[in-house]
Structures are given as C-alpha cells and as structure tokens.
Amino acid sequence: MGLTRQYLRYAAGPVFGVIASPKANVAFVTLRGGERARYAAVGACEQVFVWDLRTAEKVLVLEGKKHAVTCLRPSPDGVHLAVGYEDGSIRVFSLRSGDSHVSFNGHKSAVSVIRYDDLGARLVSGSRDTDVIVWDVINECGLYRLRGHKDDVTQALFLNKKNLLVTSSKDSFVKWWDLDTQHCFKTMVGHRSEVWGMVLLNQENRLLTGSADSELRAWDISYLEEVDEGPNETPEEVRTYPAHSKQTGLRPWRTGVYGRAFISLFLQRILGCKKVGSVLREGRDRVVSLTTDPRSNIIVCHGLDATLEIFSVIPEEEVQKKMEQRLNKARKKARCTRAEGGTGEVKRKLSDEIQRLTSIKASFKIRSLDCLLSPQGEMKMVLLLQNNTVETYTLKTKEDNPVPNKTSHLTLGGHRTDVRTLAFSSDNIALLSASAETAKVWNRATLQVVRTMECEYALCSLFVPGDRQIIIGTKSGKLQIFDLASGSLLETIDAHQGATWAVCLSPDQRGIVTGGADKTVKFWDFELIKDKKLGPNKRLTAKHTRTLQLDEDVLCVRYSPDQRLLAVSLLDCTVKIFYTDTLKFFLSLYGHKFPVLCLDISHDSTLIATGSADRNVKVWGLDFGDCHRSMFAHDDSVMFLQFVPKTHLFFTAGKDRKIKQWDADKFEHIQTLEGHHGEVWCVAVSPNGDYVASSAHDKSLRLWQRSREPIILDEEKEMEREAEFEETLANGDEPVVPGEARGEAELAGRKTVETVKAAERIMEALELYREESRKLQEHKAACEEAGKELPSPKMSPILVACGSISLEVSLLVLPFSYVPDLLTLFSTHLQQGLEVELVCRCLFYLLRIHFGRITSNQMLLSVIDDLRTHTITKVREIRDLLGFNSAGLQFLQRETESRENMMFFTAAADTFKEKKKKKKRKRERAVLTVT
C-alpha cells in the first residue's frame, strides 16, 4: 500500500494551566517523610498533582490514563494514595516512586468515595452506579459488591472495632452493613432528602450526618455489649459469626428468605442507632463536604457558598465538669422550690458536646477541604475552590475567639475562569491565553507564566507584529492594548457597542479588523503616538479608518492571505465575502442550518472552511463560492477552525471535547486529538505548524507537538473501529454466576477489555498445553517402542510466556470446556508446591461459579479428590510455616524487651486503650438526672 500523501502525527504534550480540578477532592499527604501538612494532593484532569504549599511548587505528578480523577484518599500510613477515576477504576499509587502497581475495576461510572480501614488492608469504594465494593489491597482483588442503594453513594465509613460498614447515598438512606455476612442489617430513614456526608465521633459511638438542609443530625450508636440484657437473652451465636474466606469473597452460608430474615433479626440487636439532636449550620443550602480531623476533635463543613463552618467537639472531661456545675445549681434550686412542689432537673444536650467555633470566608465557592489538628491545638486546613485555586488556613482552636489566618494561595499557575482565546507569537516561543479576569503569557518551552495582566472578559486576542504588545477584544466591546515588557495596560478603545467577537491581523501587518455584536466590521490602523506618561517615548495605538455596516451580528472575520477578500460570518447562518479595498459584496456562502461560529482561509486564498453550530464543516471555493464538501465533524457545536500554515490541512475543535485534523483537498479525517474533559473553546496553531495549543472548560491548557511519525489513514480507521468494539464489549452485559440469584452481595469485579484479553490468553495457553501434552504422549510411546530413554521434555516458549499471566481476573468469562484441563494443571501445581495461594484462590473461585457442572462430571472425581488432598496438605504446610515464623518473631520480641527492659509501642498503645475504655464505662454509669 503506497503513501500518496504523508501526514504526520501530533503527539500529546504537557498539560498546564490547571491547579486543581473541581471534580476531585483535596487531601493532605506525606512526602519523603516530611511534614504532612506541607503537601496536598489534588486532581488535575486525568493526573494527580502534589503541591508544596509553602513554596507553591508542583513536586510530584501521578500520571493517569484518559479519564478524569474524581476521588482521592491517602492510606493510613501515608505511603500510598488511592485514586478513583471517572470510568469507575481505582489505582493505588506509591507516593515514594510515583508508580501504580495496583488497579481495581469494578464500577461502571465515576467513583464518588474511597475509604481505607485503620490498617490500610481493605479499601471501600462507592460510585454513581449505586454500588459499594470492598477491596483487598494486599491480595489486590475485590472481596464483594454490596447492592442496596438506589442513587449515588456519597460516603462510606468503616467501624473497625465491629467490622461494620456504614454508607450514605442520595436516595436519603444510610445503610449499615455487616462485613462478615455481607448483609445490610439496618437502614436509617430519618432524612428527608439526600445525605451528602457523614462522620464518626466519640470513638465510633456517634454518627453525624449532613443532608440537603441546614441541620447536621447526630445519632448515638449503641452496641450489643453495652445493652443491659439478661443472661439468656443474648446467645453466643448472635455475638460471633463463622469465619469466611476474604480471598474468595464467599459467604459463610447461603441464605434464603428465612435465612436473611433471621440474619436481619439478630443483627439489628447488635447495633442500635438513635437520633439525639441536631446542630444548625449558618448556610441554608446542602452540605457539600463534612469532615473531621484524624482524632475527631474538630468538625468542618461547608455548603455551596464560600463559607466554611468549624465546630469543636468538647472532651468528655469538660462536659462532665459542666454537668456537675449544673447539677449543683439544680440541687440548690430544688431545695428552694421543694416546699412549693418544684423539682430540679438537668439533661445532657447536644449543644453541650458540640459547639460552634468560628467561620471562615473563602475567596470563592468551596469544592472540598481537608484538615489536620496538631497536639498544640493549631488546625491547618487546605481548601479546594471552584475557580482553580487552592488556599490554606491555620486556626488556633484553644483560644477563646480564634481568628483564621490565610497562609498560602495557589493562583499563579492558572486562570480563575475558562480560557476563551489563545494566540501564538510570531517566533513560536510565547503563548497568550486570556479569560474573564486575566491575560497570561506563557513560555512554550518551560510552560511557566511570563506575564499576568488583569483584563476584562476576553473573547479574542492577537500579538501585534514585533511581539511587544498584545490586543484583546472584550465582551463589553472594547479593545485593550497591553505592553508585554512592563505588563501594563497602554490603552482601552471603545470599538463596538456590543461584544467584540473577532479580531484579525491584516496580511500587510499594518492594522487589524474587528467584528462585533453591533452589526459592524471596523478597520483599524496601527500608529505610534506620544504619551505624557512615557515622556519622549511613543506608544502603540489603533486608529479607526473604515466601517462596514451589516444586517446581522458579526461572529467571525478573516482576511484572505493576499488581502484581496474579507470573509464575515453573520448570525443569519451565512458567510459574506467582500472586497477589501472597496468593501463591495462578492459572494454569499449559505448552507449551514445554524450560525457559523468559526472560519478560516487557506494560505493560497483558494479555499475557505467554515464550522457551524450544526456540527458540520463545509469547504468552499473562493473563486465561485461553490461548496466542495460538507462533512459531519463533531457531535456538538464546532467552536474553532484554523488552517495549518502553508498547507490545506486544518484543525477543528468542538464541544464534544475533541480536536480533529482534516484534509481540505481529499476531504478526509486524518486524526483525533483527545484529552480534554470539557468543552473545547479555542485552539491556536503555531506559525510554523509544529505546535497546537488548546483550552477547554476543564481549565486546562494542552500542547500538542508534531512528530515525525507518519499516519496511515486505513490503520487509523481500523484502530478507531477496534476502540469502538472494545468499548461496546466492556459496556455489555455483566457475567452472572450460574445458579446464584442476584442479591445484596455479589462479585466485585467487572468485565473489561483487559479481562476479556486475559481470558483469551488463558485459552491460548491451555490449547498449547493440550498440544504439548499430545506431543509428549506420542514421543513417549515412540521411545518405548524403540527401547530408548525418554529425554526431558522441552516446554514451548509460547506456553512459558502464557504461563506468567494472572488466572484469576478472567475465570468468570472462561468457557467451561477449558475448566477440566485447568483443574488438572492446578493439581500438578499444588503437588509441586508452586503458587499455592494463587492456585487455591482460583480453584475456589472455579468451584463456586461451576459447582453444579463440576460435581456432576464423573470424569473429574479423581481430579477433585487429588485437589482436596493436595490443597489440605499444602495449606497446612504454609500455615505451619507462618506459625513457626510468628512464634520466632514473638520470641525475639520477648528477648529484646527483657534485654532492654521496655515494651514495644504497640503493646503500650493497647494497654492505654484498655485503661481509657474502663474510665469511659465508669463515667457512663454516673447519674445525670436529679429529682
């Protein structure tokens, strides 16, 4: 296949201009063993940025794939960071190396919440697909999927001392799950609207929930051991449950209707939840974030506005002192009123335990926050705002009237609002970006901000010849001229009575032309005038020379490179062509169903391409105005169009988040540049055509660089078809375990393209195993007939390569015809003691999903019997080995303690917790009511 024309691929370059995406939350992290409150991790489109809050520098970038980050959660030891993505996947990164070696795929939509348990061994995730999944981080597998919610899951919390899980959702329910049986045993229905957040207080004895109103509802949690019951009212079977296999996710028993009813009956006796009051917030809107410091001493929440409310949890000792004072006052009052029949009564209120501390007014609406409390009482908070900004505050909580102090403000590396216009300098070195509040000039090589200038709402921009000044057209109809050397505003010109939608430099570089919403096209010439502020030096200005009056609003204006024609797109869906010198009408291009939002003319002034809100791109000839071809370009409005200099290739950008390259001669789609997670507003092509810059609604700026890799269109089309097929395959029906009804607990995994490919590799490996086994039998028979010694068999290199794949990820989609050979291989591996844990896990999984067909197959009885024998033997050997190692470590620990006359930190911590529990039980027995 010959190459008639060589197209070069534009490769994705760096992402800049985004400080923090509002889709994800912000979290304090520990980096290189430093202070935790110094570094903060935020989502930045598909990447994760770790910022040094003191120096305002980006110190670590965790690279993602193509989906946006939606949730972050650091591990309890601070070594790892779990990241949830928009496609439902979860990746666990190491903060030391920045690499990801663990990934989970179980959700169908964006991950909304991630939470570790205290040990960091388990991970729970909730998603917009209403499912809750518990993952085993150590074994890198899913344990089970919990179904029950009817809307997005908003929060999930572990109750580690009881092995329970509590989840909240937008369906207004809070559900309690027993992780031993994977069963929902309690549903709280005390909320009138969505539950957006919740936290645990008082050592997991109190639950605080935030809903769509101004109340924070408090619920007291009572456990079975704290309930005063008779000796025969609490059987031992209710307290304990049979152990289950966390590796396979098997439930200890299969429960029918009566079994589930029995579980619900006695599980509800384990835990009780009673509402004890409400804490009123200042905000009247819904709760967006509700969090506490790691010790649950401070409660922080905020709504949809910029106000952050801080509450303090009063220690139990101080509450007891206040209650004793009230009791004394009540006793005195009761003595005075006893003759009249009066009584004194004191009740413990929620306001005695949770008190408002202060409020913080941020500079913009708050999206997320995280906080830390030092032992000295100083709280550090990091706030992620909706306008691409990160702020940090400190607050001394032990003061009577604490005043918050803003310590840092990350704003330099990005715009506060969407970038609506981009422009390259003539030397391809500088890049101009302008938004509703500022204009920034970037160094293309280093991606650092060179100048930041305050401006009005920018709609269009360009560099003045010489690259020393820039001109910006604003929404208010003005032209603003800035000097790049000083970063100052030179002049503001009232150009139009409406918005200035377009500005174009004349080919002779002596002036510009602008088009506005006042139905006029105006021509301007550059001049140098004296300014009293500059002394003898002159400054640049633009002098109005001519005006072209039209019947509709002007949306876009372009000169032809030979400066003979002027193309103007109007609100009536047409494009008018005028002669530049006389402003006489030449052509009218009509055919679009919606207004033309962008257009450009080729370098030889022979072709004009137009992009419209009707999602089509049309290529016209400028000689007669005939339409050469109409192409369906994007799935939404076409926002930008520009030719590559000195070629007939052009780029288009649309609201469908894609940038596409086209050939205007052959009318072919060349390539698609994907990466943005929002509507693409504008694109700029460098004068040499080597770079393409783009901006979108996700606040990010992206740079694409032309490489030397050629593009073959047939291969590109084939790759697009394969990607569509893989997406369809991944979004198909989920596999179901035969004979198992759909219930609350299901399999945690999800069918993806990787699992299907892994299943195909397993089948290929088993086919090779069959072939090699047949060859070995034939060779053995031939050697016996010839009386020769059987040589050592050589394994196929392909079989050796396939033997290294993971067998567990795709066993569910593996056909049953391959299962007998797989069981035989498992028996061989167990007999040799190879990968005992992995083989046992896969064996139990196969027995679960194919239980009926395996037990009914008489040919597999001997294989199953061998598996039973080898499995028990090898697992006992591993258990004995682990027990021996554990005993040896304990012996070394005792030797070290006796030699150094000290206790290990863990033992000391356990002793301290036991003393604290005893003190708490004594305080709870105190009587708080006096009559």
Side-chain angles (χ1 to χ4, degrees), residues 829-834 836 840 868-880:
H829 276 65
L830 288 174
Q831 190 174 1
Q832 298 175 358
L834 301 175
V836 176
C840 288
R868 180 182 60 82
T869 304
H870 298 327
T871 301
I872 296 175
T873 303
K874 295 300 179 181
V875 170
R876 283 178 178 173
E877 291 179 1
I878 294 178
R879 184 190 62 185
D880 295 340

Side-chain angles (χ1 to χ4, degrees), residues 47-59:
Q47 300 174 341
V48 177
F49 292 165
V50 179
W51 293 92
D52 189 335
L53 299 176
R54 292 183 183 176
T55 62
E57 293 180 355
K58 192 189 307 176
V59 296

Side-chain angles (χ1 to χ4, degrees), residues 396-414:
K396 296 182 179 180
T397 59
K398 292 186 177 180
E399 295 182 355
D400 295 335
N401 295 316
V403 178
N405 179 29
K406 183 188 290 188
T407 55
S408 64
H409 194 202
L410 303 182
T411 58
L412 183 61

Side-chain angles (χ1 to χ4, degrees), residues 224-486:
L224 180 64
E225 288 79 3
E226 301 174 3
V227 180
D228 187 13
E229 296 181 349
N232 298 325
E233 294 182 5
T234 307
E236 188 64 25
E237 294 81 6
V238 179
R239 296 179 182 267
T240 59
Y241 302 93
H244 73 292
S245 173
K246 293 186 177 181
Q247 295 180 352
T248 60
L250 293 176
R251 279 172 279 181
W253 58 72
R254 290 181 177 268
T255 57
V257 177
Y258 298 102
R260 293 182 182 275
F262 173 72
I263 291 176
S264 298
L265 181 62
F266 72 75
L267 280 177
Q268 289 186 19
R269 300 176 62 189
I270 289 182
L271 182 142
C273 200
K274 180 181 179 182
K275 184 179 178 181
V276 293
S278 299
V279 178
L280 294 179
R281 300 189 297 116
E282 292 180 355
R284 299 301 178 185
D285 49 4
R286 72 172 181 88
V287 173
V288 176
S289 296
L290 178 62
T291 184
T292 64
D293 66 290
R295 299 180 181 179
S296 300
N297 294 328
I298 300 294
I299 304 171
V300 187
C301 68
H302 68 89
L304 296 172
D305 54 5
T307 303
L308 184 71
E309 302 181 46
I310 304 174
F311 299 89
S312 175
V313 180
I314 307 301
E316 186 67 24
E317 292 79 5
E318 296 184 10
V319 176
Q320 290 293 337
K321 289 181 181 178
K322 290 184 179 180
M323 297 308 299
E324 290 177 359
Q325 293 176 0
R326 291 185 183 179
L327 282 171
N328 294 333
K329 292 182 180 180
R331 288 168 182 167
K332 292 180 181 179
K333 187 176 180 180
R335 292 169 187 168
C336 297
T337 60
R338 187 170 298 171
E340 302 176 1
T343 60
E345 186 175 341
V346 175
K347 291 184 179 180
R348 187 165 175 169
K349 301 179 181 179
L350 185 64
S351 58
D352 299 327
E353 304 176 23
I354 301 177
Q355 295 182 358
R356 182 182 302 275
L357 199 60
T358 184
S359 297
I360 297 177
K361 186 71 174 180
S363 59
F364 200 75
K365 296 180 180 178
I366 305 172
R367 166 58 181 86
S368 175
L369 71 110
D370 196 9
C371 61
L372 290 174
L373 186 64
S374 65
Q376 293 76 21
E378 183 180 14
M379 186 172 65
K380 298 181 180 180
M381 295 169 288
V382 56
L383 274 62
L384 170 59
L385 308 184
Q386 293 279 7
N387 62 345
N388 196 25
T389 306
V390 174
E391 293 181 348
T392 58
Y393 292 85
T394 59
L395 184 70
K396 296 182 179 180
T397 59
K398 292 186 177 180
E399 295 182 355
D400 295 335
N401 295 316
V403 178
N405 179 29
K406 183 188 290 188
T407 55
S408 64
H409 194 202
L410 303 182
T411 58
L412 183 61
H415 291 270
R416 308 284 74 75
T417 54
D418 295 354
V419 174
R420 302 308 295 262
T421 175
L422 291 171
F424 270 103
S425 61
S426 59
D427 56 2
N428 310 292
I429 294 179
L431 175 66
L432 169 65
S433 63
S435 62
E437 80 291 337
T438 56
K440 292 179 180 289
V441 179
W442 306 78
N443 187 320
R444 179 193 53 78
T446 62
L447 302 179
Q448 297 297 321
V449 179
V450 179
R451 286 287 182 271
T452 300
M453 300 155 286
E454 293 185 0
C455 66
E456 297 184 13
Y457 198 116
L459 296 177
C460 52
S461 63
L462 56 82
F463 278 90
V464 176
D467 299 332
R468 294 184 179 182
Q469 297 87 16
I470 60 173
I471 298 178
I472 294 177
T474 66
K475 193 175 183 180
S476 60
K478 299 177 182 179
L479 290 178
Q480 292 184 321
I481 305 176
F482 291 90
D483 180 63
L484 292 183
S486 61

Side-chain angles (χ1 to χ4, degrees), residues 5 559-565 600-609 619-623 628 643-649 664-665:
R5 173 176 293 186
Y559 272 114
S560 62
D562 57 6
Q563 205 169 345
R564 187 175 68 92
L565 301 174
D600 199 12
I601 301 176
S602 62
H603 70 286
D604 52 5
S605 303
T606 58
L607 297 176
I608 179 173
V619 180
W620 316 74
L622 271 179
D623 45 2
H628 293 179
F643 275 95
V644 179
K646 299 180 181 180
T647 66
H648 279 185
L649 308 179
D665 292 332

